[in-house]
Amino acid sequence: MVRARPSMRELIRDRGRRGFVGRGAERAAFRENLALPPEDERHRFLFHVHGNAGVGKTFLVRELEQVARERGALTAYVDESVGSVPEAMAAVSDRFARQGHRFKELDRLLATHRERRHEAESTVVETLGPEPSAASMTAARAGLAGLGLVPGVGALAGAIDPAQLVQGADRLRAGLSARFRNQEDVQLVLAPERVLTPVLLTELADAAEQVPWLVLVLDTYERTGSFLDGWLYDVMTTDRHGGSLPANTVVVTAGRRPFDTARWGGFADFVTDLPLGPFTEAEARGLLAGKGVVAESVVAEVLRLTGGLPVLVSTLAEARPAGPDDVGDPSADAVEHFLKWEQDPVHRAAALACALPRRLDADVFRAAVDCPAEEADALFGWLRELPFVSDRGDRLQYHDVVRAPMLRLQRRNSPRGWAERHTRLAETFGRWRAETEAQLDSGELWADDGWRELRLAESYHLLCAGARTALPVVLREVVDACNRGDAPARRWARALLDAGQDSDAETVTRWGRDLTAAFEDGGLAAGLELLVNRAGFDDAAQAFARTVRGSVLSHGGAHRQAVAEFDRAIALDPGLARAYRSRAMSRAELGDYRAGIGDLDRAIDLTPDDARSFSLRGEYHRILGDHEAAIRDLDKGIRLDSTRDFAWASRGASRLSRGELDEALVDLGRALELEPGYAWALARRARVWRARGEYERQLADLERAAALQPGWAWPVCERGDAFRAAGRHAEALADYDRAIELDDEYASAYASRGVCRGELGRLDDALADLDRAVALRPGYAWALRKRAEIHLQRRDYERALADTDRAETLRGDDAEIFVCRARALIGLGRPAEALADLDRAAGLVRSAPAVDGAGPAPLLDRIDAVRATARERDAR
């Protein structure tokens, strides 16, 4: 079909629009780029617009978006209204849907992501089991600092052993697995970009087949770049997410700063840099002429007073001054320039009143403006057409260059009126917040985005009103925000900074500035340290703040520092159960499970119906080998909350250790009913199948566990053990190699590979692996015994005896150690001592519960055989 030529009216309107914006060279460069195919070496895939506030960055990128649409492009505009990569994806999907291209699968996953994120409350981290696995070292190292629910690593990350970071990630992953029913839901909370990005790329690829260009506009990049820049780099230059952006995609970013050359410097040939300063005289004259302002005396006055700042030139041009006397001095009273030609006092008052909220929609407009209800819609429509008001679809926002002088004018002209209007707005937001609270449980408030937004707005206006009690309350809220994660904490710090600057309150400004700097330099831990040292909290608030800081430190791997922080919190408030529970988990991370149990004893005294504390204490008892105490606590935890799959799995593991195979199978099965993707429970159940001699089921569970968490070394190593037990040594070695590739500090994988190589007669290789295992875990009794067996094969009886002596001090209840030591003693000509060890081994075997299908008979037979040799040597 032949496309109709545009009419003269359309061409005139189009040229008029272009004249309004100016920036002809920038627009021309972008337009020419769309005329080049992606394969052309001159084609650029990324345009970055940057410059100070007021230079017209948003005006320009909106114009570039329009240029793209004229070329048949699908376009999406994203600004600081988004706070994360998933929110940016949602904005892109929404903009494309408005142009007839829906991303159905992405929208479905985004909806699920929002639901699951709301469900992941801060207390989930405290419920996690303390035994760190070797799960996904690569994923943990790459993603821990960026996880919204694992806050505050910041500058601490460089000083923390990466293995400690893995423990924090494992605990969080296990806690969310205990809450959600499938692994995709867990990943949608822990690492949403990994799940969502491949889907977005697929959706974009489909759309790209139908249009000549896709254009993504990312405005206000100085705010969104902190979370978008790394992701954008990945989807443009790598296949980390299983692909990259379609070749016919052009990205436009706009922010105050140039691009980060450390990240993007190697791709300069694919980027067009568009630095913006004030309008040139020709551009300013063109904009004024487009609005009918052509008298030379008026144009000269506008140029003199505005310095070419586009937002001021645009505002004055809209007023169409007839003579130089109509052009005021923006440096003396900028607000008069923005509103001087608006004679309607209702309109003027509305424009000033609507500068008070940081963000504006129709509801906030009605709360801010005193006008008859029947006039509100028309007045709001007038407001959104003002040149300094950005219409972001769901809200309006004043340009900073305009809003700041409007606020100063109102604050200076009527301090009482300023305070009264902010108080009224605070009361309005407070009422809306209370209505939201009525629909939520108290523990859900900080997890709800809507509630947080209302509370933040209320706090901002209370600070601006100068309420004497506002600052201490808001500082306490910052602690709560830190408890939710990095993004909420930074938003509260920003609100403090904005309120301080907008109300000219130096103390509030300093708090906002110092907290922002602390979060930037040292993460949440640094910000919380500032609060506990300077905020003047009472003992209870101080204790809570220290507890939150301790949790941040612990989640970042700084467990000793965390324990010290919990100590201080408990000294301030001995009745704070969370501090004891959190200290227990940090002590467990340091291997001090007995001290952890002591802390949980106190936590349970304070909160006797807390299922989490009972389940944690039961797990610690299990790790220490006290399975009777473990099962008693886990029984209680399950009675209090039968939905915790972690408690069922831990009890199943304890029952396995006691040889109660049927009961263990029931418990682990229940854990997997609650969470089918619970890989740890699958790996534990595989051990039950092994003990029952059901090797096919054992392998099936291990296959599922490895598939669910492909970066987790433990199930891979366990599968290798299953292959080795079945005599399939080649497959076993492949799994051990893979486990070590996933985690090169996984002692169990080295030990198992060493045993496998020993069974194949590769004694030197076996010894090297077992040496590495013992070096990684000096207290690894099983590896010491297996290394002693290799020494025995090499007739190195002294080293075999040394290893069994060390192993016996670690595991004095292991009959195999005494058998191995007896063999070493026989080799050294000390048969009498060997006989004593063999008697000890036989006693241990007969008193131990049966934990495998074979029972004690095979080991007793071996003891008898070694005893016969010892007696023969003794008789000589």
Side-chain angles (χ1 to χ4, degrees):
M1 182 174 69
V2 178
R3 184 178 178 183
R5 289 185 176 180
S7 66
M8 180 181 293
R9 176 183 58 81
E10 291 171 331
L11 290 173
I12 292 173
R13 181 188 62 192
D14 182 57
R15 292 182 185 180
R17 176 179 54 76
R18 294 178 182 174
F20 173 82
V21 176
R23 307 298 189 189
E26 291 83 357
R27 289 186 292 111
F30 188 78
R31 188 179 296 110
E32 291 167 5
N33 191 66
L34 296 182
L36 299 171
E39 298 80 13
D40 193 308
E41 292 186 355
R42 295 169 295 171
H43 179 79
R44 297 294 181 263
F45 297 99
L46 177 63
F47 285 71
H48 181 58
V49 179
H50 59 92
N52 293 322
V55 297
K57 298 184 295 293
T58 296
F59 286 158
L60 176 58
V61 297
R62 283 297 203 183
E63 173 67 5
L64 299 184
E65 183 183 18
Q66 184 61 33
V67 168
R69 289 194 178 186
E70 291 168 359
R71 296 297 186 274
L74 277 177
T75 70
Y77 175 84
V78 178
D79 62 13
E80 79 277 11
S81 61
V82 305
S84 65
V85 172
E87 289 181 15
M89 294 186 197
V92 171
S93 180
D94 175 69
R95 300 309 189 275
F96 278 20
R98 296 182 190 183
Q99 297 163 70
H101 291 263
R102 288 201 53 200
F103 290 176
K104 295 181 181 179
E105 179 61 14
L106 180 63
D107 289 344
R108 181 189 69 79
L109 284 174
L110 284 166
T112 303
H113 162 67
R114 288 188 288 268
E115 293 169 5
R116 297 299 176 264
R117 184 163 53 90
H118 288 167
E119 294 171 20
E121 299 174 19
S122 59
T123 53
V124 70
V125 178
E126 298 176 15
T127 73
L128 304 180
E131 183 182 14
S133 71
S136 187
M137 175 73 79
T138 301
R141 284 174 173 167
L144 184 62
L147 295 180
L149 297 179
V150 186
V153 177
L156 290 171
I160 297 172
D161 183 354
Q164 293 177 312
L165 297 182
V166 174
Q167 294 173 347
D170 284 345
R171 290 164 60 84
L172 179 58
R173 182 178 295 106
L176 294 182
S177 293
R179 189 176 190 88
F180 300 141
R181 292 196 169 274
N182 61 68
Q183 188 64 21
E184 183 178 85
D185 285 352
V186 176
Q187 292 303 310
L188 278 172
V189 174
L190 285 177
E193 291 90 342
R194 295 184 190 172
V195 179
L196 297 171
T197 303
V199 179
L200 172 68
L201 294 175
T202 299
E203 304 267 30
L204 288 171
D206 291 342
E209 294 292 327
Q210 305 172 50
V211 294
W213 297 102
L214 303 179
V215 174
L216 306 180
V217 178
L218 308 178
D219 202 357
T220 57
Y221 209 64
E222 69 274 8
R223 296 189 179 181
T224 60
S226 60
F227 54 86
L228 282 181
D229 198 55
W231 174 80
L232 180 64
Y233 177 89
D234 283 343
V235 298
M236 289 190 72
T237 68
T238 77
D239 61 356
R240 179 183 177 189
H241 295 287
S244 64
L245 291 175
N248 60 335
T249 303
V250 176
V251 178
V252 179
T253 55
R256 295 184 180 180
R257 295 177 291 274
F259 248 16
D260 179 8
T261 54
R263 173 172 285 156
W264 293 92
F267 296 90
D269 289 345
F270 305 97
V271 178
T272 293
D273 192 59
L274 296 178
L276 293 189
F279 274 161
T280 65
E281 180 175 339
E283 288 173 326
R285 286 178 177 275
L287 189 152
L288 291 167
K291 296 299 179 181
V293 180
V294 294
E296 183 57 33
S297 58
V298 176
V299 171
E301 185 68 1
V302 170
L303 292 174
R304 182 182 72 83
L305 293 174
T306 64
L309 191 65
V311 69
L312 295 180
V313 175
S314 174
T315 300
L316 296 179
E318 285 289 331
R320 295 174 173 81
D325 292 341
D326 294 329
V327 182
D329 182 359
S331 63
D333 193 351
V335 175
E336 285 303 310
H337 294 294
F338 305 139
L339 299 176
K340 184 175 183 179
W341 295 275
E342 179 52 65
Q343 299 303 314
D344 186 334
V346 173
H347 283 189
R348 290 175 63 89
L352 286 169
C354 288
L356 297 177
R358 293 195 298 168
R359 296 171 184 83
L360 194 69
D361 59 20
D363 293 328
V364 178
F365 172 85
R366 291 184 177 88
V369 176
D370 292 321
C371 73
E374 63 273 12
E375 298 178 10
D377 287 345
L379 191 55
F380 184 61
W382 166 81
L383 182 79
R384 70 190 313 156
E385 295 301 323
L386 292 174
F388 52 79
V389 175
S390 299
D391 190 340
R392 308 298 173 91
D394 58 343
R395 62 181 174 81
L396 306 180
Q397 186 169 329
Y398 278 35
H399 195 290
D400 290 343
V401 174
V402 175
R403 182 172 180 262
M406 284 189 171
L407 295 178
R408 287 196 299 271
L409 175 69
Q410 296 178 82
R411 189 181 69 245
R412 292 174 181 174
N413 283 357
S414 177
R416 289 181 181 274
W418 165 271
E420 289 170 359
R421 287 190 290 273
H422 275 293
T423 299
R424 187 165 62 248
L425 283 167
E427 291 171 349
T428 299
F429 282 109
R431 185 174 65 255
W432 293 342
R433 171 185 54 79
E435 292 170 358
T436 302
E437 284 179 7
Q439 304 171 39
L440 300 169
D441 292 336
S442 59
E444 298 176 338
L445 298 181
W446 279 91
D448 185 85
D449 290 344
W451 182 91
R452 289 204 308 267
E453 287 299 312
L454 293 170
R455 184 62 191 169
L456 187 61
E458 179 186 5
S459 298
Y460 166 80
H461 289 294
L462 285 172
L463 290 167
C464 286
R468 184 172 299 177
T469 59
L471 181 58
V473 171
V474 175
L475 292 177
R476 178 62 175 76
E477 289 173 3
V478 177
V479 177
D480 289 320
C482 290
N483 197 38
R484 288 301 310 162
D486 186 71
R490 289 176 182 270
R491 297 196 68 184
W492 248 262
R494 179 70 194 185
L496 277 162
L497 182 59
D498 287 351
Q501 292 175 339
D502 294 345
S503 60
D504 197 25
E506 177 56 32
T507 300
V508 179
T509 301
R510 185 167 59 251
W511 266 112
R513 182 174 57 244
D514 292 351
L515 281 169
T516 299
F519 291 146
E520 188 68 30
D521 294 340
L524 291 184
L528 285 161
E529 183 177 20
L530 181 67
L531 287 164
V532 298
N533 289 336
R534 269 182 33 190
F537 292 144
D538 61 26
D539 285 354
Q542 182 89 326
F544 179 75
R546 289 193 175 278
T547 300
V548 174
R549 184 169 188 268
S551 296
V552 167
L553 290 167
S554 186
H555 299 155
H559 301 299
R560 295 191 187 281
Q561 291 175 259
V563 169
E565 204 70 8
F566 296 133
D567 290 345
R568 298 184 186 101
I570 290 167
L572 290 164
D573 185 358
L576 185 56
R578 173 178 170 174
Y580 291 101
R581 188 168 54 247
S582 298
R583 188 171 69 179
M585 290 188 287
S586 288
R587 284 174 162 173
E589 295 288 357
L590 294 169
D592 194 353
Y593 295 101
R594 296 194 185 281
I597 288 172
D599 277 339
L600 290 168
D601 290 343
R602 180 60 178 145
I604 288 170
D605 288 342
L606 293 167
T607 54
D609 292 329
D610 183 43
R612 296 167 296 176
S613 295
F614 280 104
S615 298
L616 278 173
R617 193 171 69 177
E619 173 68 359
Y620 296 173
H621 281 307
R622 182 191 72 79
I623 292 169
L624 292 173
D626 188 350
H627 298 293
E628 182 178 352
I631 290 175
R632 183 171 58 248
D633 273 345
L634 291 163
D635 285 347
K636 178 69 171 179
I638 289 169
R639 282 197 300 273
L640 289 169
D641 184 356
S642 62
T643 65
R644 292 183 177 275
D645 51 18
F646 162 73
W648 289 97
S650 181
R651 192 173 72 176
S654 267
R655 285 177 162 169
L656 170 62
S657 297
R658 286 160 56 105
E660 299 166 4
L661 303 186
D662 292 341
E663 293 85 349
L665 202 57
V666 170
D667 279 352
L668 291 163
R670 178 58 179 151
L672 289 164
E673 287 176 11
L674 291 167
E675 173 47 65
Y678 196 169
W680 190 87
L682 283 165
R684 288 288 176 179
R685 191 171 70 175
R687 290 187 172 184
V688 180
W689 297 130
R690 180 183 67 188
R692 291 163 62 104
E694 299 188 47
Y695 299 113
E696 291 301 322
R697 285 182 166 178
Q698 177 193 5
L699 281 172
D701 273 355
L702 291 172
E703 291 284 358
R704 282 184 59 197
L708 284 165
Q709 293 192 15
W712 189 18
W714 184 36
V716 178
C717 184
E718 289 276 309
R719 187 174 62 190
D721 290 341
F723 285 135
R724 179 171 57 82
R728 296 158 63 175
H729 290 85
E731 292 164 280
L733 285 174
D735 270 349
Y736 297 142
D737 290 345
R738 175 58 179 158
I740 291 168
E741 180 184 337
L742 291 169
D743 182 356
D744 62 2
E745 295 185 354
Y746 189 7
S748 294
Y750 285 104
S752 291
R753 190 172 71 176
V755 171
C756 190
R757 286 173 164 175
E759 292 172 355
L760 293 171
R762 296 163 56 183
L763 300 187
D764 290 343
D765 291 339
L767 198 57
D769 275 343
L770 288 161
D771 286 345
R772 175 65 172 152
V774 173
L776 288 167
R777 281 176 53 189
Y780 195 172
W782 187 82
L784 285 165
R785 175 169 65 83
K786 290 297 184 180
R787 188 170 70 176
E789 292 176 0
I790 298 297
H791 288 317
L792 288 173
Q793 292 184 63
R794 294 162 62 97
R795 299 181 182 274
D796 191 342
Y797 301 116
E798 290 287 355
R799 283 193 171 91
L801 183 61
D803 275 350
T804 55
D805 284 344
R806 284 179 61 190
E808 189 268 337
T809 63
L810 296 164
R811 286 291 306 274
D813 59 347
D814 186 348
E816 294 274 12
I817 293 172
F818 292 100
V819 175
C820 188
R821 186 163 67 183
R823 293 172 59 198
L825 289 166
I826 291 170
L828 291 169
R830 296 156 62 182
E833 295 172 71
L835 286 169
D837 272 351
L838 292 167
D839 289 342
R840 178 74 182 279
L844 288 170
V845 172
R846 293 188 179 97
S847 63
V851 296
D852 58 51
L859 182 52
L860 288 173
D861 290 344
R862 281 200 293 123
I863 291 171
D864 287 343
V866 178
R867 182 183 284 115
T869 302
R871 284 173 175 167
E872 179 185 345
R873 298 288 178 86
D874 193 36
R876 295 177 184 174

